Amino acid sequence: GRLFAWGNNGNGQLGDGITTQRLVPTLIGTDTWKMIAAGAGHSLGIRSDGRLFAWGDNGGGQLGDGTTTDKLVPTLIGTDTWRYISAGLSHSFAIRSDGRLFAWGDNSFNQLGDGTTTQRLVPTLIGTDTWKMINTSDEFGTVFTMGIRTDGRLLAWGRNGSGQFGNGTFTDSAIPILIGINTWDSIEAGAAFVTALQG
C-alpha cells in the first residue's frame, strides 16, 4: 500500500515536497493508499482509511482545498470518505462512500457536469444519482467526462466534438446525459475517444 511516484514534477505533482524531476520510483510519505489518480499536472489519492488527498498543480482549483495554490505534498481534502477518483486536465472527480458524485476545478467546457461553466474550488455535488465509476479526459479542448451509475448505465458530459459520447451526435452537454441502453463494467476516456467493457 505504499505510494511511489516519478517523472515530471514541475508543479509538485509527485508529492515529495519539491519540484525536482525523479527518474526512478520514489517513496512518497509513510501512509498507505488504496487508489491514486493522475491528471495533467496534479494527483489525487484515497488513503487506506478512505480519506481524500490532493497535490500538485492547482491553477484551476483542481485540488479542491478552496484555493488555487499548488501543493507539494499530499493535502487532506475535507472530512468525508471516498471510494473512487478521477483526475483530469484542471479538474477532478470523486465518488463518495455513499456513491454520490462530486466534482471541482476548471469548468470551462462543462466538464464538471453541474450545468454551468463556473469554476469550483471545493468538491461540489453533481446531481442525485449514485455511481460506481467515473473517468475524465485530460486533453485540452476535448475535455469530457464519462460515468457509470450503480445501475450500470453510461452517462457523458462536457465536450463532444469528436463524437466521444457515443450517442451518434457531436452535441456537447453541460449535465450528465444517458448514453444508449446497455450496461457497462468499466470505461476509460482518452483524447476525444472512449473504450469500455460491457456488463
Side-chain angles (χ1 to χ4, degrees):
R2 303 293 289 277
L3 176 63
F4 289 76
W6 57 98
N8 181 30
N9 197 21
N11 293 105
Q13 59 264 49
L14 300 188
D16 61 352
I18 59 177
T19 56
T20 301
Q21 181 184 37
R22 300 289 188 177
L23 301 184
V24 297
T26 301
L27 180 64
I28 307 300
T30 59
D31 289 328
T32 57
W33 303 81
K34 64 179 182 179
M35 187 174 186
I36 293 292
H42 75 291
S43 301
L44 305 174
I46 301 177
R47 206 168 56 183
S48 54
D49 62 0
R51 304 294 291 276
L52 176 64
F53 289 75
W55 58 99
D57 182 22
N58 197 24
Q62 60 264 47
L63 300 188
D65 67 343
T67 78
T68 55
T69 303
D70 293 357
K71 300 294 188 296
L72 302 184
V73 296
T75 301
L76 180 64
I77 306 300
T79 60
D80 290 327
T81 58
W82 307 82
R83 61 180 178 83
Y84 202 93
I85 46 177
S86 182
L89 181 66
S90 298
H91 62 291
S92 301
F93 286 91
I95 299 173
R96 202 167 58 183
S97 296
D98 62 1
R100 304 295 289 276
L101 178 64
F102 289 75
W104 59 98
D106 180 55
N107 198 19
S108 302
F109 304 110
N110 299 119
Q111 61 264 44
L112 300 188
D114 65 351
T116 77
T117 55
T118 303
Q119 180 188 44
R120 307 292 182 180
L121 299 184
V122 296
T124 301
L125 181 65
I126 306 299
T128 59
D129 289 329
T130 57
W131 302 79
K132 70 175 183 179
M133 185 178 184
I134 201 81
N135 200 263
T136 191
S137 169
D138 66 357
E139 294 291 327
F140 181 77
T142 63
V143 180
F144 68 103
T145 306
M146 308 289 289
I148 301 176
R149 281 190 322 212
T150 50
D151 62 1
R153 302 294 294 276
L154 180 66
L155 290 91
W157 58 100
R159 297 294 295 274
N160 189 32
S162 296
Q164 59 262 42
F165 287 4
N167 64 350
T169 78
F170 298 105
T171 304
D172 299 343
S173 180
I175 59 172
I177 57 171
L178 193 63
I179 306 299
I181 61 173
N182 294 320
T183 58
W184 303 86
D185 283 336
S186 68
I187 50 170
E188 188 71 25
F193 73 98
V194 175
T195 57
L197 295 177
Q198 198 174 70

